[in-house]
């Protein structure tokens, strides 16, 4: 309870601009949580489907492979569906590569979306904190002109305290948002690299098998 009271007191001392910074914090946490869950689910689904389809592709059973990926809503399923359809129509390496790249381009927006907002929120929270600091100092120094000499020190102290609390809160939101952005961006990059590797393996399996059979 003491910790909660301290947080509430800290928030109240920061003034009006603490509220928009709090909104930025909520949005950043919501996006980070959604992206973390989404990327984890996509990584797991892709790994499971590829482990199931790869042996079938190695056997050369494109029909069964196509059935396995056609009804899949996973990123790797959509990529493989494009590649298998092209390989059954015309098993030319360049054409199959283009088909898998097209499938990759289709799934990339869903994988990469919203993560970049975290960097924007980090910058926004810093700017809101600085704006709150400037406004707090302006208000404090403006009040000094008409204040009683005995209360000037107290008014100045309160104004500076409000300004510093606002700056501190802005930085407290900005730093974790930036860390979350870097972490999620690295996971996104690793996921995309994995999909590109699967595309290359698929092309090698399908087109290499055709050359051996010829």
């Amino acid at each position: 309870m003491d910790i909660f009271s301290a947080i509430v007191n800290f928030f109240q001392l920061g003034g009006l601009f603490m509220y928009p910074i709090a909104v930025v914090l909520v949005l950043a946490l919501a996006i980070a949580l959604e992206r973390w869950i989404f990327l984890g689910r996509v990584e797991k689904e892709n790994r499971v489907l590829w482990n199931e389809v790869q042996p079938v592709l190695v056997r050369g059973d494109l029909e069964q492979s196509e059935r396995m990926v056609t009804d899949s809503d996973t990123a790797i399923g959509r990529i493989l569906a494009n590649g298998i359809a092209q390989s059954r129509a015309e098993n030319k390496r360049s054409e199959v590569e283009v088909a898998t790249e097209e499938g990759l381009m289709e799934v990339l927006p869903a994988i990469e979306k919203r993560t970049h907002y975290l960097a924007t929120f980090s910058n926004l929270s810093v700017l809101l904190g600085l704006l709150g600091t400037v406004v707090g100092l302006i208000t404090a120094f403006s009040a000094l002109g008409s204040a009683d000499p005995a209360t000037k020190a107290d008014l100045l102290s309160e104004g500076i305290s409000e300004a510093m609390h606002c700056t501190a809160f802005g930085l407290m939101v900005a730093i974790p948002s930036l860390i979350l952005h870097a972490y999620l961006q690295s996971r996104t990059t690793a996921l995309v690299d994995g999909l590109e590797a699967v595309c290359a393996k698929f092309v090698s399996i399908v087109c290499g098998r055709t050359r051996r059979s010829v």
Side-chain angles (χ1 to χ4, degrees):
M1 186 64 183
D2 292 337
I3 296 177
F4 179 77
S5 300
I7 294 174
V8 172
N9 184 57
F10 177 86
F11 189 85
Q12 291 175 340
L13 291 174
L16 183 63
F17 280 88
M18 299 289 274
Y19 293 95
I21 298 174
V23 172
V24 172
L25 173 61
V26 172
L27 292 175
L29 291 176
I31 290 176
L33 180 61
E34 185 272 335
R35 288 287 89 190
W36 182 75
I37 295 173
F38 175 83
L39 292 175
R41 177 171 58 83
V42 171
E43 289 170 352
K44 181 180 179 181
E45 291 175 346
N46 287 346
R47 183 170 56 252
V48 170
L49 183 60
W50 176 244
N51 290 336
E52 293 175 353
V53 175
Q54 186 179 15
V56 182
L57 288 171
V58 173
R59 291 201 310 266
D61 193 346
L62 291 181
E63 291 186 5
Q64 183 179 352
S65 301
E66 189 171 29
R67 286 194 297 270
M68 295 173 67
V69 301
T70 298
D71 296 331
S72 175
D73 194 33
T74 62
I76 200 171
R78 294 170 64 181
I79 294 172
L80 294 179
N82 274 23
I84 292 173
Q86 177 60 43
S87 65
R88 296 190 66 185
E90 183 182 358
N91 200 4
K92 188 177 179 182
R93 189 181 187 92
S94 60
E95 297 297 331
V96 176
E97 288 178 346
V98 170
T100 55
E101 288 174 1
E102 288 177 351
L104 180 60
M105 291 300 105
E106 290 176 2
V107 302
L108 280 183
I111 294 174
E112 297 177 340
K113 69 179 180 181
R114 284 194 287 272
T115 301
H116 64 280
Y117 287 138
L118 293 174
T120 302
F121 288 150
S122 177
N123 293 329
L124 183 59
S125 63
V126 172
L127 293 175
L128 287 172
L130 291 175
L131 181 59
T133 300
V134 172
V135 171
L137 291 175
I138 291 174
T139 303
F141 284 110
S142 298
L144 291 178
S146 57
D148 185 86
T151 61
K152 282 187 177 182
D154 292 336
L155 289 174
L156 184 59
S157 176
E158 291 177 3
I160 293 176
S161 175
E162 177 181 323
M164 294 300 100
H165 277 78
C166 195
T167 301
F169 188 45
L171 293 174
M172 289 166 63
V173 174
I175 294 172
S177 298
L178 202 57
I179 294 173
L180 288 171
H181 173 263
Y183 169 72
L184 293 172
Q185 191 64 46
S186 66
R187 285 190 64 179
T188 300
T189 301
L191 179 56
V192 173
D193 290 342
L195 292 175
E196 291 176 345
V198 167
C199 291
K201 290 178 182 178
F202 170 79
V203 173
S204 297
I205 291 172
V206 174
C207 298
R209 177 182 52 79
T210 302
R211 287 198 299 270
R212 289 194 297 269
S213 64
V214 174

